[in-house]
Amino acid sequence: MRRLPFLSLGFSLLATIAAAQDSNGVTPRVVNEAAVPAVMEKAVDGFIRPGYLELMETTEALSEASHLFCENPSEESLGNLQLVFDDIVQKWSTIEIVRVGPVLDGNRFERFLFFPDRKSTGLKQVQRILATKDETATNPETLKIKSVAVQGLGALEYVLYGTGAEDIANEPNGFRCRYAAAIADNLVEVATDLHEAWEKPDGVQADWKKPGPDNPVFRDNKEAVTALLGVLVHGVETVKDQRIRPFYAGIVNGVPDKGHPKLALYWRSGNTMPSLHTNFEALETLFDAADMRSLLPADSKSVASSAKFVFKSLVRVSEEVDLPIDEAIVDDEQRAKLDFIVLNTDDLLQRLNKDFGGAIGLSAGFSFSDGD
């Protein structure tokens, strides 16, 4: 077995775990190693495995809804398909924070969601498929060998909500509908592969639950807990740099910036803020489910409490931004909430990266660089 490519997450570990007194004679913090195996097990069994199971089940519902719509197109069946699309966005927004392990193999992450789409390269490919009615895109077997940009949630959103989508219900088994169904079938395959990979008792879940010298992924408890904290840190970074920053600039040169709502993920379907809200919920849930607090020394438990306070604030306020994103950006009250989210997302990143990392024995240089 090979070591999972954690460095491909886009973060680099700059810290070392201190094992002795520093030059000032101060004994550095150390991780509560006795708590690590239970924390890793709780992360896997309490968050990761249930997350992939729900994702798989919802992709199956999406596939069923898309095929039913193709056979009997109507406003009702289209509405049902769009509701299931909203649901799959939520399920993916929960588990996408775990950007490690099997989801990195075979471009599974990008096959499920290609974002950010710099220079609209993926959008143009989807538009070309629709314009030329490329029949190879309506077969899951040929679709999955195409560009990752045309086979995931971004492509499906455009098919259901983009230019020309108003005519999708006019023709039984029309091209646009069959393309949507092929995307849904493709998502079922990806989600099933991920679920099965994490369900194997001697597979990746064993690597996470049993750190040790013979483990191909985590040679010791310190490596394991560093990677788990990295999931949280990188998840917050992704929200900050890939989900919020492209569309919202806040105050620029003393003037409220109009923003770029069409750079926001899921803006067409109105799922921008619901997805962000779910991202924050997922990060808090993983923090709680894994019992990250148990890793801290007894005199540093307040570090977890302070992080929890920010988690809860972000979950609450992100739900309160309830206008379409293009309207929220120009609404004074909603902008104030977006400003709050930007400020506190950065605060949360510091609390996890520096405060929590330092409290469990990572040196002051502990950091994860930004990445895709």
Side-chain angles (χ1 to χ4, degrees):
M1 295 179 65
R2 60 184 178 82
R3 295 175 61 81
L4 293 181
F6 288 107
L7 291 181
S8 67
L9 281 171
F11 62 71
S12 59
L13 186 59
L14 304 179
T16 57
I17 305 294
Q21 291 186 332
D22 63 19
S23 58
N24 296 319
V26 178
T27 302
R29 299 289 188 175
V30 293
V31 66
N32 178 8
E33 290 205 43
V36 174
V39 166
M40 299 301 289
E41 183 171 349
K42 290 173 182 176
V44 171
D45 293 342
F47 183 84
I48 298 176
R49 290 175 59 207
Y52 281 125
L53 174 60
E54 290 189 355
L55 183 71
M56 181 187 69
E57 291 174 342
T58 310
T59 58
E60 291 170 347
L62 180 70
S63 175
E64 181 180 359
S66 63
H67 285 283
L68 287 174
F69 170 66
C70 287
E71 294 167 7
N72 296 289
S74 66
E75 291 301 319
E76 181 180 357
S77 58
L78 176 58
N80 181 60
L81 175 55
Q82 291 173 333
L83 285 174
V84 182
F85 176 82
D86 292 346
D87 194 19
I88 197 67
V89 166
Q90 296 306 300
K91 296 300 188 295
W92 173 250
S93 298
T94 296
I95 199 61
E96 72 171 328
I97 68 168
V98 183
R99 202 163 180 174
V100 296
V103 76
L104 298 182
D105 296 334
N107 294 319
R108 287 186 180 122
F109 191 99
E110 290 75 16
R111 287 180 64 197
F112 214 98
L113 175 65
F114 177 76
F115 189 84
D117 183 9
R118 296 182 175 89
K119 299 182 180 179
S120 299
T121 302
L123 172 61
K124 292 172 184 176
Q125 293 174 350
V126 173
Q127 291 172 328
R128 188 178 305 116
I129 286 173
L130 293 171
T132 61
K133 295 188 176 181
D134 178 2
E135 286 292 339
T136 61
T138 65
N139 184 329
E141 293 304 310
T142 47
L143 176 63
K144 70 182 181 181
I145 62 176
K146 290 181 178 294
S147 164
V148 295
V150 304
Q151 54 180 290
L153 288 180
L156 182 57
E157 184 191 39
Y158 187 84
V159 171
L160 295 179
Y161 295 93
T163 303
E166 62 275 6
D167 298 325
I168 194 172
N170 293 343
E171 179 186 1
N173 291 310
F175 176 82
R176 195 171 187 126
C177 179
R178 288 184 287 116
Y179 178 28
I183 294 173
D185 290 343
N186 179 68
L187 295 177
V188 172
E189 178 179 310
V190 176
T192 301
D193 287 347
L194 290 169
H195 167 66
E196 292 178 348
W198 278 97
E199 287 302 301
K200 294 178 181 177
D202 58 347
V204 63
Q205 67 164 280
D207 295 334
W208 275 56
K209 293 177 181 180
K210 301 174 182 178
D214 297 327
N215 187 317
V217 180
F218 301 126
R219 291 168 296 187
D220 55 39
N221 288 333
K222 297 169 185 176
E223 284 192 357
V225 78
T226 298
L228 179 57
L229 179 58
V231 170
L232 291 164
V233 170
H234 185 71
V236 177
E237 281 185 335
T238 298
V239 169
K240 171 176 169 282
D241 296 333
Q242 295 185 11
R243 299 298 192 260
I244 300 175
R245 181 178 290 175
F247 78 83
Y248 188 69
I251 304 297
V252 178
N253 297 324
V255 179
D257 187 79
K258 293 182 179 179
H260 305 278
K262 291 187 178 181
L263 294 181
L265 180 61
Y266 306 128
W267 68 268
R268 291 183 177 85
S269 61
N271 278 300
T272 298
M273 291 310 300
S275 175
L276 274 173
H277 171 69
T278 302
N279 286 155
F280 287 128
E281 277 192 323
L283 289 162
E284 182 185 20
T285 299
L286 176 57
F287 188 85
D288 290 341
D291 191 16
M292 297 292 287
R293 181 185 179 90
S294 68
L295 297 171
L296 295 164
D299 61 351
S300 298
K301 299 296 185 182
S302 61
V303 172
S305 299
S306 63
K308 276 289 294 180
F309 179 81
V310 183
F311 272 128
K312 287 186 176 298
S313 298
L314 285 167
V315 169
R316 174 178 55 81
V317 176
S318 60
E319 189 172 31
E320 294 173 354
V321 182
D322 51 7
L323 290 176
I325 199 61
D326 58 332
E327 297 178 25
I329 288 177
V330 296
D331 179 270
D332 289 344
E333 183 177 341
Q334 300 266 288
R335 283 183 64 87
K337 295 181 186 299
L338 287 168
D339 289 338
F340 177 92
I341 291 169
V342 170
L343 178 64
N344 283 272
T345 299
D346 192 58
D347 182 30
L348 179 60
L349 182 60
Q350 298 306 310
R351 290 179 187 273
L352 293 174
N353 194 22
K354 294 183 178 180
D355 297 350
F356 197 100
I360 62 172
L362 298 176
S363 72
F366 173 76
S367 178
F368 296 97
S369 67
D370 293 345
D372 293 337

